[in-house]
Amino acid sequence: MEPMNKANNQVLLPSDQVVEVVQQNLLEWYGENKRDLPWRENKNPYRIWVSEIMLQQTRVDTVIPYYERFLSRFPTIESLAAAADEDVIKAWEGLGYYSRARNLHSAVKEVVAEYGGKVPDKVAQISKLKGVGPYTTGAILSIAYDKKVPAVDGNVMRVFSRLFTIEDDISQQSTRKKMERIAEKLIPESSPGDFNQALMELGAMVCTPQSPKCLFCPVQSVCKAYQQGRESELPRKKKATSPKSVDVIFVWIVSENKVLIEKRPEQGLLAHMWSLPTIEQAKKENYLEVFNEFCDTKNIQLTNLIIRGNLDHIFSHIHWKITLVQADLKKSVSLPDEWEWIALNQLHTRAFPNVYRKALQQLVSI
DNA sequence: GACACGTGGGC
DNA sequence: TGCCCAAGTGT
């Protein structure tokens, strides 16, 4: 293996003949093999948009039920624009990357206010919307409006890496720009949306990260990696660093069938989401000190501490080692602004990220 | 450019 | 089991 920084900076564009074969074979294959997915029912730009946001870093099978519920709850761009923030987040609960929902909501409101509810069909306008980056710009413009704009995602980068034996590290942002130049040459005038989707579909179904199904690949005849038997070596990608381990305490405070919940800060991990009161960066050694400091900060007093259990939750970049601690709240002058008593049987009305759902299950189900 | 940002599935 | 991932974007 060559070192990763030795990748060629030159963009070697595919020949006209290769372009021809890829276009024809891929479009024909897509026509016969594409999956029947809910966002392929029509080309409503709003529906395409929602699907593209949900699909970011998220599997198709995971997205489908969320997509169906979301579109049935917010069937039009106007209905989403008019919705309360809480309702939008609640519909996103469990999907992860919650800033996607906030950005989508904000962008949809902008489209209704600035563009009369019509999703823009110009790169300059749509790429300014919150949560719409280079990939989503290309996806919406090509799929919904049949514009010849690249939509280069992880699938496309993997397909191109193999098809043209591109050695660049696909985790580098600069690599995507190179891939976009190739895509611009490859996309046919006639059906850019189908072609972009065909590229992604190929990556998802045939040109998979592990064990690619080269024997069934419609572009096998022009694939350089296959010709060289190197399909398992490509694409190149820097190994991810493993999540950093952090000790965390969730505090379980119940009184008269009510429990204290906490609204998380507006920035950072699980921003805006409901949670149990959480002590982050807690040292496991001395709970008392940790709790005293916590009580000082919140201007409250906690007594009768009992450890109720432990829980691990691994985010993409952080590993929470959670201790569930039950406590009683001594009478205090006032509750912190971010805290609220809620009836146990009303917990389901709030949007909790999954890590807190798991904790609640453990605590409530005896 | 590098890192933050969730979750669940597959091997 | 632990690691890699899955239709990226914001900072």
Side-chain angles (χ1 to χ4, degrees), chain A residues 27-73:
Chain A
L27 282 172
E28 186 186 343
W29 172 84
Y30 182 66
E32 291 169 1
N33 295 285
K34 68 177 170 189
R35 288 168 291 178
D36 196 11
L37 300 171
W39 44 89
R40 288 180 176 162
E41 282 174 17
N42 58 54
K43 292 187 173 183
N44 180 320
Y46 165 66
R47 292 173 55 92
I48 304 292
W49 184 4
V50 172
S51 76
E52 291 303 338
I53 302 301
M54 284 192 172
L55 285 163
Q56 289 170 7
Q57 301 292 284
T58 311
R59 285 183 159 71
V60 165
D61 289 344
T62 304
V63 166
I64 290 173
Y66 279 92
Y67 182 80
E68 305 272 25
R69 280 196 300 271
F70 196 91
L71 264 296
S72 116
R73 180 100 177 69

Side-chain angles (χ1 to χ4, degrees), chain A residues 43 65 79 81 85 88 95 103 139 165 171-172 177 213 235 245 278 288 304:
Chain A
K43 292 187 173 183
S79 64
D85 294 4
V88 177
L95 240 199
N103 288 336
T165 54
S171 63
Q172 298 295 310
K177 294 192 172 93
K213 297 152 188 64
S245 193
T278 301
L288 286 185
N304 303 331

